Amino acid sequence: MAPAPRAQAAALVDGMIDHLQHLKESGQKSVRLDPDVLGQLAKPIAGQVIPGERAAVPPQTAERRAPPPSAKLPGKPAASAAHASGTALGAIAERIAVCTACGLCQTRTRTVPGQGATRPDILFVGEGPGADEDAQGLAFVGRAGQLLTKMIKAMGYEREDVWIGNIVKCRPPNNRAPSLEEMAACLPYLKEQIGLLQPRVMVCMGATAVKGLFETATPISKIRGTWLSFEGIDTMPTFHPAYLLRNPSAKRVVWQDLKAVLEKLGKPVPQG
Ligand code: URA
Ligand code: SF4
């Protein structure tokens, strides 16, 4: 049964307080607020009529728009302070934090918008958050993330020098692969992020991410190592670090792929 409007509104306010508290703890000093929303917030909740409109906020049309008052309790926001308040990237992360455009919003703990440098040489794209990412609101912080960190360091970068994100920003239950519908619902966020970040090169990790970005059924073992173009950006498909944890012998070909990325960037291959 749907929660009573008043309970729903109270839950929404609780979620907002939580979100603002979190922003404060991350060192953010200001938030952007729509004047209409300020007006709404100024009204008392008791007795307030909540319109019964649908909660979904389509990513591309949601810019600068607050979620409707009937939106579900927002997922806890990402823990990253990398999204400075007031930046366009931060605004996207804030929209993601209240997004209900696909069913994954119902089971997430935190949204995981992605994090890192704002004008990176490389943007790494994975599939979607796992349990650790869902708990922390940060992309690639679990075991696969630790391996990704090693791969980034082997390339002569630090995590902070690159941008790390996923096709879907909310964890699929039990780490199942996101469906085509879920990826399609979430992709506009990644496209907006890519547009702002303007990475020189992207690395697309794993079969699902390749399917989500390129709508191809070509197996990752066939397509990896061959340059693709995503919206004009050279993109290297390679195996996912979680696959490498299960199949360490595949690390050799992934390193070939990453060396091709360095070559494309005109960077030396670090020795050792
Ligand atoms: N796997 C992914 O695809 N993304 C993460 O953020 C973590 C694990
Ligand atoms: Fe919205 Fe993406 Fe989360 Fe689906 S996965 S609810 S589209 S942010």
Side-chain angles (χ1 to χ4, degrees):
M1 202 181 66
R6 199 179 299 185
Q8 215 175 12
L12 183 58
V13 170
D14 277 352
M16 284 175 64
I17 291 169
D18 204 15
H19 179 57
L20 291 169
Q21 188 71 37
H22 179 82
L23 290 178
K24 192 175 163 197
E25 282 163 13
S26 322
Q28 302 199 16
K29 301 276 185 239
S30 66
V31 290
R32 289 167 16 144
L33 265 187
D34 190 314
D36 291 349
V37 177
L38 266 179
Q40 287 285 332
L41 290 174
K43 287 186 194 161
I45 285 173
Q48 192 177 341
V49 178
I50 308 290
E53 65 183 272
R54 269 187 60 83
V57 182
Q60 270 174 332
T61 57
E63 190 131 45
R64 288 166 220 282
R65 214 200 296 153
S70 59
K72 289 202 184 75
L73 176 65
K76 282 197 183 148
S80 167
H83 303 291
S85 171
T87 67
L89 281 169
I92 296 174
E94 284 171 21
R95 275 164 42 219
I96 291 171
V98 293
C99 178
T100 55
C102 86
L104 297 181
C105 68
Q106 287 165 11
T107 44
R108 72 186 174 211
T109 310
R110 286 187 168 189
T111 50
V112 182
Q115 75 278 344
T118 47
R119 276 298 165 107
D121 280 355
I122 314 170
L123 186 157
F124 290 87
V125 188
E127 174 177 319
D132 295 301
E133 292 76 21
D134 178 66
Q136 296 183 41
L138 293 167
F140 281 98
V141 289
R143 275 188 74 218
Q146 285 161 22
L147 181 52
L148 178 61
T149 304
K150 283 191 193 162
M151 289 157 55
I152 291 167
K153 281 180 184 283
M155 295 175 81
Y157 289 88
E158 297 294 329
R159 275 176 75 105
E160 298 71 31
D161 302 329
V162 301
W163 202 82
I164 305 172
N166 284 301
I167 303 242
V168 294
K169 316 301 191 188
C170 304
R171 182 192 183 196
N174 305 315
N175 297 346
R176 68 162 168 78
S179 68
L180 286 175
E181 290 75 22
E182 289 157 353
M183 291 195 285
C186 212
L187 197 57
Y189 289 126
L190 182 61
K191 286 187 177 176
E192 282 186 56
Q193 290 170 322
I194 292 169
L196 290 165
L197 292 161
Q198 295 185 16
R200 291 174 64 198
V201 172
M202 301 207 300
V203 177
C204 183
M205 300 181 291
T208 310
V210 171
K211 212 192 310 178
L213 281 190
F214 298 100
E215 291 170 17
T216 171
T218 313
I220 184 71
S221 53
K222 284 250 160 59
I223 210 168
R224 61 137 286 276
T226 60
W227 285 105
L228 303 172
S229 174
F230 183 78
E231 310 217 316
I233 299 170
D234 289 321
T235 303
M236 175 57 76
T238 196
F239 290 124
H240 192 287
Y243 174 82
L244 297 182
L245 290 172
R246 298 190 301 273
N247 301 277
S249 62
K251 285 181 186 170
R252 192 180 55 82
V253 291
V254 169
W255 182 232
Q256 278 175 17
D257 300 343
L258 299 179
K259 280 196 293 190
V261 168
L262 289 172
E263 198 177 318
K264 176 78 74 182
L265 291 166
K267 298 269 171 179
V269 176
Q271 301 302 315

